[in-house]
Amino acid sequence: MKTKMMLGLVAAVLLTQAGCTTKIQSLPLPAALQSQNAQDVALYFGEQRHAPVRQTLGSKEFAVRVPRQPQDSREFTCNLALAKGVQQLRDFAREQHANAVINVTTRFQHNESTSPNEFKCGASLNGSTLAVRGDIVTLETQ
């Protein structure tokens, strides 16, 4: 009887641990983030080309975690986390009267992406997590 109970507890612990495993994802940037909107704060991922910098206002990083619903894929929640982090960067840039965020990077723990086409995210059965960082600047306008 005790052996069965112990085996049941071990099995429960193993199943719980297996469900909490976070996978590091490298996903394509959504097309909406790769195009610039003149009405919004521009985002330049990695070393994407941009107009000359008139003023640098510092760097900012936001860490984001989005809980996962049972029907959501890991990719979906990673995209939500990225959208939330980018929105926080843009909101902060607006508060600083900046018109762009350059050198935008994403990371999960120590796994960073400086790519203009992909982003890093940590995804588990419980949710997705990432950090978004960028340099807040005012770019010269034509």
Side-chain angles (χ1 to χ4, degrees):
M1 184 77 134
K2 286 184 180 181
T3 304
K4 283 185 181 181
M5 184 183 281
M6 288 302 288
L7 286 175
L9 286 173
V10 169
V13 168
L14 289 174
L15 287 173
T16 302
Q17 294 297 324
C20 292
T21 302
T22 300
K23 293 184 181 0
I24 299 169
Q25 309 256 157
S26 230
L27 299 168
L29 277 175
L33 292 180
Q34 293 180 348
S35 60
Q36 301 304 332
N37 177 348
Q39 302 299 319
D40 207 349
V41 172
L43 297 172
Y44 296 93
F45 286 82
E47 294 184 11
Q48 279 181 311
R49 293 179 56 116
H50 53 77
V53 175
R54 185 172 25 156
Q55 183 179 14
T56 301
L57 302 165
S59 296
K60 189 67 175 173
E61 179 175 285
F62 290 98
V64 179
R65 183 181 189 290
V66 174
R68 182 170 169 245
Q69 300 301 315
Q71 72 276 9
D72 295 341
S73 69
R74 290 178 180 189
E75 184 174 336
F76 179 81
T77 54
C78 278
N79 280 311
L80 285 178
L82 178 64
K84 187 175 178 179
V86 163
Q87 187 60 50
Q88 290 175 331
L89 267 180
R90 281 184 164 147
D91 290 346
F92 182 80
R94 272 189 221 97
E95 290 170 9
Q96 304 304 309
H97 305 290
N99 63 4
V101 182
I102 62 172
N103 305 320
V104 177
T105 62
T106 58
R107 71 175 175 80
F108 175 72
Q109 295 177 349
H110 300 291
N111 298 287
E112 184 175 60
S113 174
T114 59
S115 170
N117 304 314
E118 294 182 341
F119 71 100
K120 291 281 188 201
C121 179
S124 72
L125 293 177
N126 297 324
S128 294
T129 305
L130 58 72
V132 180
R133 188 203 139 307
D135 298 327
I136 312 301
V137 299
T138 302
L139 298 177
E140 291 181 8
T141 56
Q142 279 94 355

